[in-house]
Structure formats: C-alpha cells, structure tokens
Amino acid sequence: MIGVFDSGYGGLTVLKEFVRQLPQYDYCYLGDNARAPYGCRSFETVYRYTLECVRHLFRQGCRLVILACNTASAKALRSIQQRDLPLMAPTGRVLGVIRPSVEAVGGCTQSGTVGIFGTAGTVLSLSYPMEIAKLYPHIRVFQEACPMWVPLVESNEHQSAGADYFVRQHIDRLLEQNAEIDTVVLACTHYPLLLNKIEQYTPARIRIISQGNIVARSLQDYLHRHPEMEQSLSKNHARIFQTTDSPEMFDRYASIFFEEEIKSVRIEN
Ligand code: DGL
C-alpha cells in the first residue's frame, strides 16, 4: 500500500488527487486527529508524533509513505529518512510535499518573487526559503504564518463569515511585505479548503499554487523512475482510512474533504 499521513484532515486534499490520477493503487490514510494541529508544536514533538505514525503505516504493510503535511515534511522528514528509515523499513521510502511544491514554483513566477502561506512550524523551519534557494537562487521568498487557518478548517468553520477576517488579514500581511509577489504557495494541505476565500482576497494577477495536483504528479513521476517500487505496490483500488480520534467524527467530516463516503477505524498510538 501507499501510506498517506497528515496531522488531521488536510492530507485528504492530497489523497483525493492521488486517487484521481493514480486510482489503481491501494492507499492507507492516517490522520493523527487526536493530536492535531501540529503547526504550533515544537520540532521534537512533530518529529516524535510523525515517526510514530510513519512506523504504524509501515507495520500496516505500506512500502511507500507520503507525508501529506508540510509541517511534518519540514520538521521530521529528513530525520526519518536519514536516521529511522534504515532500521524501521530498509526497503521502504518516505517522501514529503515540500520538494515537489518548490519545483513547481520556478515555472510560475515571472517577477521572481514568491509568497508562502504556512503554519508557524513550516514558516519558522525556513524549509521553503532554503529549498527554493537551492533550486532557484534568484527567487526572493516572503513568508506568512497563518495560525488560524488550520483551526478554522479542522473545526469546519472555513466557509463561515468569520473565516473571511483571518483569510484577508494574512493575505494583506504577506502582500505588504513585497508588492512584486506574483505567486503564492498554499504550503499547508489544509488550505485548499479555504481556496475560494483565498481567491476572493488575492489580486487576480497573483498565481495561487495548491499542492494536491503537484504532489500527485510528482508521485507518478517517482513511480515511473523507480519501477522496483512501483511493481511492489498492490493495485486493488483499496482505500483504508485510519484516525487516532473518533472514527464517527472522522467519517462525517472527512467526506467533505474527500467528496466520497468514508468508513474509518481508530488506531491507538
Ligand atoms: N496540514 C498540515 C500542513 O500541511 C498542518 C496542519 C497542522 O497544523 O496540523 O502543514
């Protein structure tokens, strides 16, 4: 199976694209809803929680795990890849969402000025500025942490009138940093749920990059370049949903993200 992990519901925006573009594979989604959000937590805590969840997915029979969470990708991916994976699952792979998003940035900006919306954890990690500098040293990067956006989504308030205030506030703050920003990355897998409000308050000349489609295309490319991994993956169109919190709550809410009925099970972490 392909494991897909997020702190809560946000990774479902990525899984939805995987299923749309690569429907043949079996997927096991794990949302750590009991401990979400991750965005405000320390490096050590995000690393520990993410590692526990990744280990669980490998025990379930996954060979490939995607961290469909920017915060976990920023704070835990490298340590897991370098330190834990060789012992935990020597033939397994763990991939994140930051690298594919960064690759996409280069082809989008004309002004060479990019904005990043993310959780406080992602922004403070400086992962985006550092990764962009490696691939595109000429691009200037401005960041804005949006601590209210994930709680709005996780509490199903993202369509409410109250959400407009916080959406607009962070867009304005980012654009005040530099008037030449012509591309913004929604560097949190929860944010596509706020897309219509983000579009509403973002000037039309600015390109908005959402991650689902980009990460799905990058996975497709990865599997193409790694036939031994591709051949080892089961292909029965199975979808398994797991949560660390109440499955009833997960099913009710996750189907809004996934746009299909979901039947999840609770796992103990
Ligand atoms: N969806 C996660 C991300 O992409 C973060 C949500 C959280 O704060 O837990 O960063």
Side-chain angles (χ1 to χ4, degrees):
M1 287 187 292
I2 299 176
V4 180
F5 166 71
D6 182 55
S7 58
Y9 299 104
L12 290 166
T13 61
V14 175
L15 179 64
K16 196 164 67 182
E17 281 299 318
F18 286 173
V19 165
R20 203 173 64 80
Q21 296 187 29
L22 304 161
Q24 66 275 34
Y25 299 107
D26 297 343
Y27 296 96
C28 180
Y29 183 89
L30 173 57
D32 193 6
N33 300 76
R35 302 187 292 194
Y38 278 16
C40 48
R41 298 193 190 278
S42 68
F43 183 96
E44 292 70 27
T45 302
V46 172
Y47 165 65
R48 184 160 54 83
Y49 288 177
T50 305
L51 178 60
E52 284 171 11
C53 291
V54 168
R55 182 168 282 132
H56 170 84
L57 286 167
F58 279 117
R59 285 202 188 119
Q60 297 290 295
C62 295
R63 263 210 72 198
L64 177 62
V65 173
I66 314 293
L67 302 186
C69 174
N70 290 264
T71 311
S73 299
K75 293 187 164 196
L77 178 64
R78 183 146 311 165
S79 306
I80 290 177
Q81 283 174 332
Q82 293 175 355
R83 207 165 53 199
D84 305 297
L85 197 58
L87 297 169
M88 181 168 60
T91 60
R93 287 287 171 274
V94 183
L95 304 174
V97 288
I98 295 180
R99 180 74 187 202
S101 313
V102 164
E103 284 168 4
V105 158
C108 288
T109 175
Q110 300 281 317
S111 68
T113 316
V114 169
I116 307 291
F117 290 118
T119 65
T122 298
V123 165
L124 289 173
S125 76
L126 298 177
S127 296
Y128 274 89
M130 287 189 305
E131 289 297 320
I132 291 174
K134 280 187 212 155
L135 285 190
Y136 311 108
H138 63 284
I139 292 183
R140 290 176 301 168
V141 185
F142 297 88
Q143 302 195 95
E144 173 68 11
C146 313
M148 284 302 291
W149 287 12
V150 169
L152 282 170
V153 172
E154 289 277 322
S155 54
N156 201 8
E157 288 293 331
H158 54 286
Q159 301 288 9
S160 71
D164 289 56
Y165 172 82
F166 291 105
V167 169
R168 190 174 190 169
Q169 179 187 55
H170 291 300
I171 292 170
D172 291 348
R173 282 189 190 160
L174 178 72
L175 300 182
E176 275 161 22
Q177 293 185 51
N178 192 293
E180 285 177 40
I181 292 172
D182 67 352
T183 304
V184 293
V185 182
L186 304 188
C188 172
T189 53
H190 283 67
Y191 296 172
L193 272 286
L194 288 163
L195 186 60
N196 55 3
K197 290 200 190 289
I198 294 171
E199 280 172 343
Q200 189 183 336
Y201 295 111
T202 302
R205 63 175 179 81
I206 295 180
R207 186 120 177 234
I208 300 169
I209 300 183
S210 259
Q211 295 180 308
N213 180 34
I214 289 166
V215 178
R217 272 193 280 123
S218 164
L219 175 61
Q220 191 163 21
D221 178 58
Y222 174 85
L223 294 175
H224 191 69
R225 286 183 289 109
H226 295 85
E228 73 300 338
M229 173 62 81
E230 201 285 330
Q231 280 149 26
S232 76
L233 296 173
S234 52
K235 301 174 188 74
N236 303 306
H237 296 72
R239 284 91 178 89
I240 294 171
F241 294 91
Q242 299 181 331
T243 173
T244 53
D245 207 338
S246 147
E248 293 76 27
M249 213 161 72
F250 187 89
D251 294 353
R252 200 172 332 118
Y253 196 31
S255 52
I256 304 173
F257 285 73
F258 197 62
E259 292 167 352
E260 259 178 49
E261 284 299 303
I262 279 173
K263 194 95 198 86
S264 65
V265 292
R266 186 203 295 258
I267 61 133
E268 300 301 332
N269 242 350

